[in-house]
Each structure stands twice: as C-alpha cells, then as structure tokens.
Amino acid sequence: MELCRRYAAPPLLIRAARIGLQDYRREVHLRRLLRDGPLPQSPTALVRLLETEAALDQERRLASTGYSPARHVEVLIAMMAEARDMTPSLLET
C-alpha cells in the first residue's frame, strides 16, 4: 500500500483514471488487463498491475511507438480500484 501512496504519474493520466474509477467492474476490466486464469485476490492483482504500469510508464518515458495512453489509464483505474478494495480488509486486522 505504501508503494501506491508514493506513486506519481502525470496529472492528466491520474485525473482520467479517477474519472474512470466509477465505472470499474472487476470481472470485466481486470480480466481483460491480466488476460490469464482466474482473477487473483486484490493484493496479488495489485502487484501484477504495478508491474504492468511500470512497463507502460517506461514506454511513455521513452516515447515508444507501442505506448497506449488508453491502456495506461485502464491500468491506473484498476490499480486505484484494487487498492481501494483492499483498504477495508487491511483496517480490520
């Protein structure tokens, strides 16, 4: 969770992700992003999303022709949603 607090993406990407967060549906969106097997628990999903986001951010910084801002925003939305959904269980322990 600390890693999520320290994360800093370009403000425009974060703003777009916050807007999209209200429409996030785990079964649909996370399955499309992770692309394999059953959906993992939120902590595992978040780690995988962080890895995906790091690769996307690297592509963005290098101005890679394969970089997709739309996919980057989708991953940020999923990261925010998974972190949000983890919070109640972390507070109970």
Side-chain angles (χ1 to χ4, degrees), residues 14 17 19 26-27 33 55 61-62 64-65 77 79:
I14 294 296
I19 291 167
R26 191 173 201 271
E27 283 290 323
L33 292 169
R61 291 173 188 267
L62 295 173
S64 171
T65 57
I77 291 168
M79 285 171 52

mmCIF file with all atom_site columns, all heavy atoms in Angstrom, residues 14 17 19 26-27 33 55 61-62 64-65 77 79:
data_model
loop_
_atom_site.group_PDB
_atom_site.id
_atom_site.type_symbol
_atom_site.label_atom_id
_atom_site.label_alt_id
_atom_site.label_comp_id
_atom_site.label_asym_id
_atom_site.label_entity_id
_atom_site.label_seq_id
_atom_site.pdbx_PDB_ins_code
_atom_site.Cartn_x
_atom_site.Cartn_y
_atom_site.Cartn_z
_atom_site.occupancy
_atom_site.B_iso_or_equiv
_atom_site.pdbx_formal_charge
_atom_site.auth_seq_id
_atom_site.auth_comp_id
_atom_site.auth_asym_id
_atom_site.auth_atom_id
_atom_site.pdbx_PDB_model_num
ATOM 1   N N   . ILE A 1 14 ? -3.680  10.572  -14.115 1.00 0.00 ? 14 ILE A N   1
ATOM 2   C CA  . ILE A 1 14 ? -4.336  10.337  -12.826 1.00 0.00 ? 14 ILE A CA  1
ATOM 3   C C   . ILE A 1 14 ? -5.771  10.879  -12.853 1.00 0.00 ? 14 ILE A C   1
ATOM 4   O O   . ILE A 1 14 ? -6.705  10.218  -12.404 1.00 0.00 ? 14 ILE A O   1
ATOM 5   C CB  . ILE A 1 14 ? -3.536  10.998  -11.680 1.00 0.00 ? 14 ILE A CB  1
ATOM 6   C CG1 . ILE A 1 14 ? -2.167  10.323  -11.525 1.00 0.00 ? 14 ILE A CG1 1
ATOM 7   C CG2 . ILE A 1 14 ? -4.319  10.948  -10.371 1.00 0.00 ? 14 ILE A CG2 1
ATOM 8   C CD1 . ILE A 1 14 ? -2.220  8.878   -11.106 1.00 0.00 ? 14 ILE A CD1 1
ATOM 9   N N   . ALA A 1 17 ? -7.933  8.573   -14.833 1.00 0.00 ? 17 ALA A N   1
ATOM 10  C CA  . ALA A 1 17 ? -8.180  7.336   -14.087 1.00 0.00 ? 17 ALA A CA  1
ATOM 11  C C   . ALA A 1 17 ? -9.220  7.556   -12.994 1.00 0.00 ? 17 ALA A C   1
ATOM 12  O O   . ALA A 1 17 ? -10.094 6.712   -12.772 1.00 0.00 ? 17 ALA A O   1
ATOM 13  C CB  . ALA A 1 17 ? -6.877  6.803   -13.501 1.00 0.00 ? 17 ALA A CB  1
ATOM 14  N N   . ILE A 1 19 ? -11.659 9.642   -13.014 1.00 0.00 ? 19 ILE A N   1
ATOM 15  C CA  . ILE A 1 19 ? -12.966 9.735   -13.665 1.00 0.00 ? 19 ILE A CA  1
ATOM 16  C C   . ILE A 1 19 ? -13.470 8.336   -14.031 1.00 0.00 ? 19 ILE A C   1
ATOM 17  O O   . ILE A 1 19 ? -14.637 8.015   -13.846 1.00 0.00 ? 19 ILE A O   1
ATOM 18  C CB  . ILE A 1 19 ? -12.891 10.641  -14.911 1.00 0.00 ? 19 ILE A CB  1
ATOM 19  C CG1 . ILE A 1 19 ? -12.654 12.090  -14.480 1.00 0.00 ? 19 ILE A CG1 1
ATOM 20  C CG2 . ILE A 1 19 ? -14.147 10.513  -15.768 1.00 0.00 ? 19 ILE A CG2 1
ATOM 21  C CD1 . ILE A 1 19 ? -12.263 13.025  -15.604 1.00 0.00 ? 19 ILE A CD1 1
ATOM 22  N N   . ARG A 1 26 ? -14.651 -5.154  -11.839 1.00 0.00 ? 26 ARG A N   1
ATOM 23  C CA  . ARG A 1 26 ? -13.511 -6.056  -11.657 1.00 0.00 ? 26 ARG A CA  1
ATOM 24  C C   . ARG A 1 26 ? -13.548 -7.239  -12.620 1.00 0.00 ? 26 ARG A C   1
ATOM 25  O O   . ARG A 1 26 ? -12.552 -7.567  -13.259 1.00 0.00 ? 26 ARG A O   1
ATOM 26  C CB  . ARG A 1 26 ? -13.470 -6.544  -10.209 1.00 0.00 ? 26 ARG A CB  1
ATOM 27  C CG  . ARG A 1 26 ? -12.195 -7.254  -9.847  1.00 0.00 ? 26 ARG A CG  1
ATOM 28  C CD  . ARG A 1 26 ? -12.161 -7.554  -8.347  1.00 0.00 ? 26 ARG A CD  1
ATOM 29  N NE  . ARG A 1 26 ? -10.809 -7.769  -7.914  1.00 0.00 ? 26 ARG A NE  1
ATOM 30  C CZ  . ARG A 1 26 ? -10.204 -8.952  -7.915  1.00 0.00 ? 26 ARG A CZ  1
ATOM 31  N NH1 . ARG A 1 26 ? -10.854 -10.020 -8.334  1.00 0.00 ? 26 ARG A NH1 1
ATOM 32  N NH2 . ARG A 1 26 ? -8.950  -9.063  -7.514  1.00 0.00 ? 26 ARG A NH2 1
ATOM 33  N N   . GLU A 1 27 ? -14.680 -7.914  -12.694 1.00 0.00 ? 27 GLU A N   1
ATOM 34  C CA  . GLU A 1 27 ? -14.788 -9.107  -13.549 1.00 0.00 ? 27 GLU A CA  1
ATOM 35  C C   . GLU A 1 27 ? -14.451 -8.812  -15.006 1.00 0.00 ? 27 GLU A C   1
ATOM 36  O O   . GLU A 1 27 ? -13.821 -9.612  -15.672 1.00 0.00 ? 27 GLU A O   1
ATOM 37  C CB  . GLU A 1 27 ? -16.197 -9.706  -13.465 1.00 0.00 ? 27 GLU A CB  1
ATOM 38  C CG  . GLU A 1 27 ? -16.466 -10.489 -12.214 1.00 0.00 ? 27 GLU A CG  1
ATOM 39  C CD  . GLU A 1 27 ? -15.692 -11.803 -12.179 1.00 0.00 ? 27 GLU A CD  1
ATOM 40  O OE1 . GLU A 1 27 ? -15.517 -12.453 -13.221 1.00 0.00 ? 27 GLU A OE1 1
ATOM 41  O OE2 . GLU A 1 27 ? -15.263 -12.171 -11.075 1.00 0.00 ? 27 GLU A OE2 1
ATOM 42  N N   . LEU A 1 33 ? -7.259  -6.959  -18.437 1.00 0.00 ? 33 LEU A N   1
ATOM 43  C CA  . LEU A 1 33 ? -5.897  -6.472  -18.207 1.00 0.00 ? 33 LEU A CA  1
ATOM 44  C C   . LEU A 1 33 ? -4.917  -7.594  -17.869 1.00 0.00 ? 33 LEU A C   1
ATOM 45  O O   . LEU A 1 33 ? -3.775  -7.582  -18.321 1.00 0.00 ? 33 LEU A O   1
ATOM 46  C CB  . LEU A 1 33 ? -5.888  -5.431  -17.086 1.00 0.00 ? 33 LEU A CB  1
ATOM 47  C CG  . LEU A 1 33 ? -6.579  -4.109  -17.427 1.00 0.00 ? 33 LEU A CG  1
ATOM 48  C CD1 . LEU A 1 33 ? -6.739  -3.266  -16.178 1.00 0.00 ? 33 LEU A CD1 1
ATOM 49  C CD2 . LEU A 1 33 ? -5.796  -3.365  -18.497 1.00 0.00 ? 33 LEU A CD2 1
ATOM 50  N N   . ALA A 1 55 ? 5.990   -0.969  -16.709 1.00 0.00 ? 55 ALA A N   1
ATOM 51  C CA  . ALA A 1 55 ? 6.384   -1.175  -18.107 1.00 0.00 ? 55 ALA A CA  1
ATOM 52  C C   . ALA A 1 55 ? 5.757   -0.115  -19.009 1.00 0.00 ? 55 ALA A C   1
ATOM 53  O O   . ALA A 1 55 ? 6.417   0.436   -19.904 1.00 0.00 ? 55 ALA A O   1
ATOM 54  C CB  . ALA A 1 55 ? 5.985   -2.576  -18.572 1.00 0.00 ? 55 ALA A CB  1
ATOM 55  N N   . ARG A 1 61 ? 7.858   7.147   -21.125 1.00 0.00 ? 61 ARG A N   1
ATOM 56  C CA  . ARG A 1 61 ? 9.049   7.985   -20.963 1.00 0.00 ? 61 ARG A CA  1
ATOM 57  C C   . ARG A 1 61 ? 9.994   7.892   -22.158 1.00 0.00 ? 61 ARG A C   1
ATOM 58  O O   . ARG A 1 61 ? 10.673  8.848   -22.491 1.00 0.00 ? 61 ARG A O   1
ATOM 59  C CB  . ARG A 1 61 ? 9.783   7.615   -19.686 1.00 0.00 ? 61 ARG A CB  1
ATOM 60  C CG  . ARG A 1 61 ? 9.026   7.991   -18.434 1.00 0.00 ? 61 ARG A CG  1
ATOM 61  C CD  . ARG A 1 61 ? 9.720   7.444   -17.192 1.00 0.00 ? 61 ARG A CD  1
ATOM 62  N NE  . ARG A 1 61 ? 8.917   7.631   -16.016 1.00 0.00 ? 61 ARG A NE  1
ATOM 63  C CZ  . ARG A 1 61 ? 9.010   8.684   -15.208 1.00 0.00 ? 61 ARG A CZ  1
ATOM 64  N NH1 . ARG A 1 61 ? 9.868   9.639   -15.469 1.00 0.00 ? 61 ARG A NH1 1
ATOM 65  N NH2 . ARG A 1 61 ? 8.238   8.771   -14.150 1.00 0.00 ? 61 ARG A NH2 1
ATOM 66  N N   . LEU A 1 62 ? 10.018  6.730   -22.797 1.00 0.00 ? 62 LEU A N   1
ATOM 67  C CA  . LEU A 1 62 ? 10.882  6.531   -23.960 1.00 0.00 ? 62 LEU A CA  1
ATOM 68  C C   . LEU A 1 62 ? 10.192  6.928   -25.263 1.00 0.00 ? 62 LEU A C   1
ATOM 69  O O   . LEU A 1 62 ? 10.783  6.793   -26.333 1.00 0.00 ? 62 LEU A O   1
ATOM 70  C CB  . LEU A 1 62 ? 11.329  5.067   -24.043 1.00 0.00 ? 62 LEU A CB  1
ATOM 71  C CG  . LEU A 1 62 ? 12.213  4.579   -22.900 1.00 0.00 ? 62 LEU A CG  1
ATOM 72  C CD1 . LEU A 1 62 ? 12.441  3.073   -23.016 1.00 0.00 ? 62 LEU A CD1 1
ATOM 73  C CD2 . LEU A 1 62 ? 13.533  5.333   -22.875 1.00 0.00 ? 62 LEU A CD2 1
ATOM 74  N N   . SER A 1 64 ? 7.859   5.432   -26.813 1.00 0.00 ? 64 SER A N   1
ATOM 75  C CA  . SER A 1 64 ? 7.745   4.229   -27.626 1.00 0.00 ? 64 SER A CA  1
ATOM 76  C C   . SER A 1 64 ? 6.527   4.316   -28.542 1.00 0.00 ? 64 SER A C   1
ATOM 77  O O   . SER A 1 64 ? 5.462   4.786   -28.137 1.00 0.00 ? 64 SER A O   1
ATOM 78  C CB  . SER A 1 64 ? 7.615   3.007   -26.719 1.00 0.00 ? 64 SER A CB  1
ATOM 79  O OG  . SER A 1 64 ? 7.302   1.862   -27.456 1.00 0.00 ? 64 SER A OG  1
ATOM 80  N N   . THR A 1 65 ? 6.689   3.836   -29.760 1.00 0.00 ? 65 THR A N   1
ATOM 81  C CA  . THR A 1 65 ? 5.565   3.859   -30.707 1.00 0.00 ? 65 THR A CA  1
ATOM 82  C C   . THR A 1 65 ? 4.452   2.911   -30.272 1.00 0.00 ? 65 THR A C   1
ATOM 83  O O   . THR A 1 65 ? 3.307   3.077   -30.677 1.00 0.00 ? 65 THR A O   1
ATOM 84  C CB  . THR A 1 65 ? 6.019   3.486   -32.123 1.00 0.00 ? 65 THR A CB  1
ATOM 85  O OG1 . THR A 1 65 ? 6.629   2.197   -32.090 1.00 0.00 ? 65 THR A OG1 1
ATOM 86  C CG2 . THR A 1 65 ? 6.979   4.517   -32.668 1.00 0.00 ? 65 THR A CG2 1
ATOM 87  N N   . ILE A 1 77 ? -6.688  2.860   -13.475 1.00 0.00 ? 77 ILE A N   1
ATOM 88  C CA  . ILE A 1 77 ? -8.028  2.686   -12.904 1.00 0.00 ? 77 ILE A CA  1
ATOM 89  C C   . ILE A 1 77 ? -8.069  1.402   -12.082 1.00 0.00 ? 77 ILE A C   1
ATOM 90  O O   . ILE A 1 77 ? -8.545  1.400   -10.938 1.00 0.00 ? 77 ILE A O   1
ATOM 91  C CB  . ILE A 1 77 ? -9.105  2.650   -14.010 1.00 0.00 ? 77 ILE A CB  1
ATOM 92  C CG1 . ILE A 1 77 ? -9.252  4.014   -14.664 1.00 0.00 ? 77 ILE A CG1 1
ATOM 93  C CG2 . ILE A 1 77 ? -10.450 2.164   -13.451 1.00 0.00 ? 77 ILE A CG2 1
ATOM 94  C CD1 . ILE A 1 77 ? -10.077 3.999   -15.945 1.00 0.00 ? 77 ILE A CD1 1
ATOM 95  N N   . MET A 1 79 ? -5.586  -0.241  -10.762 1.00 0.00 ? 79 MET A N   1
ATOM 96  C CA  . MET A 1 79 ? -4.732  -0.094  -9.573  1.00 0.00 ? 79 MET A CA  1
ATOM 97  C C   . MET A 1 79 ? -5.480  0.640   -8.463  1.00 0.00 ? 79 MET A C   1
ATOM 98  O O   . MET A 1 79 ? -5.471  0.212   -7.302  1.00 0.00 ? 79 MET A O   1
ATOM 99  C CB  . MET A 1 79 ? -3.453  0.679   -9.919  1.00 0.00 ? 79 MET A CB  1
ATOM 100 C CG  . MET A 1 79 ? -2.438  -0.123  -10.692 1.00 0.00 ? 79 MET A CG  1
ATOM 101 S SD  . MET A 1 79 ? -1.065  0.888   -11.314 1.00 0.00 ? 79 MET A SD  1
ATOM 102 C CE  . MET A 1 79 ? -0.498  1.762   -9.869  1.00 0.00 ? 79 MET A CE  1
#
